[in-house]
């Protein structure tokens, strides 16, 4: 019986398969993206029939992204599978800064028309520079800057100009997000490597800006009012706990810890429990131990405290006071 000859893959499928294999060999988790687009090739949750890989629950592109060469070869295994290569940021431990372009200048950003200009201005405002890192250019003249997610952080996507994003024309892709890898093609052109080399760790100042403020602590409703003395002691205990966290923060967690503490202080300021100027001064004093260590500056501390307190003041926190029986007179 003659041996069956498998049809030969066309060169474009072979090229894209090698792109995917190279990305996986570099430690990135990849998956197929529809040919000529940036849309995942896997079905969405609303179309899931619970069969095959989804028999035990829907498996989307993030769950199925892999570094397994055998699986990658299966995906790019026939002439109709000219899939582009998607890179799943969360599983890959990446934060990718997506810099877009526009035709109308942004007056509040000195007439910037690109995300790169906005990012450069943001870096200058913080007295920082951007480290060299692996990057790509998109078919529409945008840029993707690849960074490693700092240990202990779980950042999610941001959309330029909204929420705690870095600014207009700057999106970020992290957990729950993906980018189309270099070598992929769209009708507008090809994704190309702009800078080869290692993927640098996301700078601390960018990690701080991209970290959402802590969720407001639930306000406990109690029918019993606290005496003034007890309420003051309660507020003092909150302050002491946050200040202790700042003073003992590990080197890679200094700004994030300071941001969280400043938010708590801001809540108390907003609720009338603390004086704003005093709260600001106390927070900076606690951060003094870190200033000058491993490049941490007073300017960074001041910006972080200001930002955190501003967030906190949007969710005021008040401790209810009243007189109680017994030896506690309720007087200060």
């Amino acid at each position: 019986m003659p041996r069956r000859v498998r049809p030969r893959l066309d060169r474009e499928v072979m090229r894209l398969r090698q792109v995917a294999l190279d990305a996986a060999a570099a430690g990135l988790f990849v998956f197929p993206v529809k040919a000529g687009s940036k849309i995942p090739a896997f079905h969405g949750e609303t179309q899931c029939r619970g069969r095959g890989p989804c028999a035990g629950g829907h498996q989307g592109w993030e769950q199925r992204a892999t570094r397994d060469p055998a699986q990658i070869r299966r995906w790019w295994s026939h002439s109709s599978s000219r899939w582009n290569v998607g890179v799943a940021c969360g599983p890959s431990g990446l934060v990718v800064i997506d810099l877009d372009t526009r035709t109308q200048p942004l007056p509040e950003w000195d007439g910037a028309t690109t995300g790169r200009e906005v990012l450069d201005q943001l870096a200058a405002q913080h007295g920082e520079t951007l480290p060299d890192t692996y990057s790509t250019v998109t078919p529409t003249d945008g840029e993707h800057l690849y960074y490693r997610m700092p240990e202990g952080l779980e950042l999610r996507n941001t959309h330029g100009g909204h929420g705690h994003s870095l600014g207009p024309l700057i999106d970020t892709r992290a957990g729950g997000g993906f980018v189309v890898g270099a070598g992929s093609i769209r009708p507008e052109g090809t994704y190309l490597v702009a800078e080869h080399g290692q993927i640098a760790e996301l700078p601390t100042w960018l990690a701080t800006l991209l970290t959402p403020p802590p969720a407001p602590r639930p306000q406990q409703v109690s029918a019993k009012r606290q005496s003034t003395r007890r309420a003051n002691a309660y507020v003092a205990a909150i302050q002491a706990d946050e200040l202790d966290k700042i003073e003992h923060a590990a080197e890679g967690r200094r700004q994030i810890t300071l941001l969280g503490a400043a938010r708590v202080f801001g809540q108390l300021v907003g609720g009338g429990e603390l004086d704003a100027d005093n709260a600001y001064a106390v927070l900076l004093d606690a951060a003094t131990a870190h200033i000058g260590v491993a490049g941490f500056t007073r300017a960074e501390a001041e910006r972080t405290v200001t930002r955190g307190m501003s967030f906190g003041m949007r969710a005021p926190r008040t401790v209810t006071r009243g007189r109680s029986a017994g030896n506690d007179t309720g007087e200060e």
Side-chain angles (χ1 to χ4, degrees):
M1 184 175 178
R3 193 171 78 176
R4 185 176 179 180
V5 179
R6 296 182 61 182
R8 184 167 182 166
L9 294 179
D10 68 34
R11 290 184 178 179
E12 184 61 5
V13 174
M14 294 174 65
R15 184 188 69 80
L16 288 164
R17 182 174 66 182
Q18 192 59 50
V19 167
L21 288 169
D22 289 345
L28 305 182
F29 285 72
V30 300
F31 64 93
V33 170
K34 290 182 180 179
S37 80
K38 50 182 181 179
I39 300 171
F42 296 131
H43 64 260
E45 191 168 4
T46 56
Q47 294 82 37
C48 184
R49 298 182 181 181
R51 299 190 300 220
C54 297
H58 175 65
Q59 297 288 302
W61 56 264
E62 188 167 36
Q63 293 78 26
R64 295 175 67 181
T66 187
R67 294 183 297 190
D68 178 19
Q71 178 60 68
I72 291 169
R73 290 190 179 93
R74 284 193 292 271
W75 280 334
W76 280 268
S77 63
H78 48 84
S79 294
S80 62
S81 56
R82 290 188 174 188
W83 309 123
N84 276 338
V85 179
V87 177
C89 296
S92 301
L94 293 178
V95 179
V96 177
I97 298 179
D98 180 1
L99 304 175
D100 295 325
T101 63
R102 59 178 279 166
T103 55
Q104 294 299 318
L106 295 164
E108 67 275 26
W109 290 90
D110 291 339
T113 58
T114 68
R116 167 62 78 170
E117 291 173 287
V118 173
L119 185 60
D120 287 343
Q121 289 182 44
L122 191 66
Q125 290 170 13
H126 286 76
E128 300 285 355
T129 57
L130 294 167
D132 293 336
T133 191
Y134 174 85
S135 64
T136 66
V137 292
T138 73
T140 52
D141 296 324
E143 295 180 75
H144 290 166
L145 310 182
Y146 286 61
Y147 292 101
R148 288 185 289 109
M149 182 89 72
E151 187 175 352
L153 280 188
E154 294 182 4
L155 299 178
R156 305 288 292 180
N157 301 330
T158 66
H159 182 62
H162 300 277
H164 57 280
S165 69
L166 297 175
L169 301 180
I170 305 177
D171 299 336
T172 58
R173 298 289 176 259
F178 73 92
V179 292
V180 180
S184 299
I185 294 178
R186 284 171 38 206
E188 302 89 341
T190 304
Y191 290 82
L192 301 171
V193 176
E195 184 169 333
H196 293 272
Q198 297 296 313
I199 297 175
E201 181 168 300
L202 183 71
T204 301
W205 67 277
L206 283 175
T208 301
L209 292 177
L210 290 170
T211 300
R217 296 185 181 182
Q219 303 293 323
Q220 295 185 354
V221 179
S222 173
K224 199 183 221 180
R225 289 173 176 265
Q226 297 186 72
S227 70
T228 300
R229 181 179 298 170
R230 287 176 184 267
N232 290 345
Y234 177 61
V235 172
I238 293 172
Q239 295 179 72
D241 180 55
E242 296 299 331
L243 295 174
D244 183 70
K245 289 177 184 176
I246 295 170
E247 292 172 3
H248 294 92
E251 183 176 310
R253 304 284 299 176
R254 295 173 304 192
Q255 282 185 299
I256 293 167
T257 303
L258 183 59
L259 181 71
R263 189 186 193 285
V264 173
F265 272 63
Q267 287 180 314
L268 295 172
V269 168
E273 299 292 343
L274 296 177
D275 172 75
D277 291 340
N278 185 60
Y280 182 86
V282 168
L283 286 163
L284 276 184
D285 185 62
T288 299
H290 300 292
I291 293 174
V293 179
F296 189 67
T297 66
R298 184 175 181 83
E300 287 178 283
E302 291 174 347
R303 285 190 294 265
T304 303
V305 169
T306 299
R307 181 168 177 260
M309 286 184 61
S310 296
F311 277 128
M313 290 169 68
R314 298 174 195 170
R317 185 177 181 187
T318 303
V319 179
T320 304
R321 286 170 169 77
R323 293 182 180 274
S324 65
N327 294 330
D328 193 339
T329 65
E331 297 175 355
E332 295 186 42

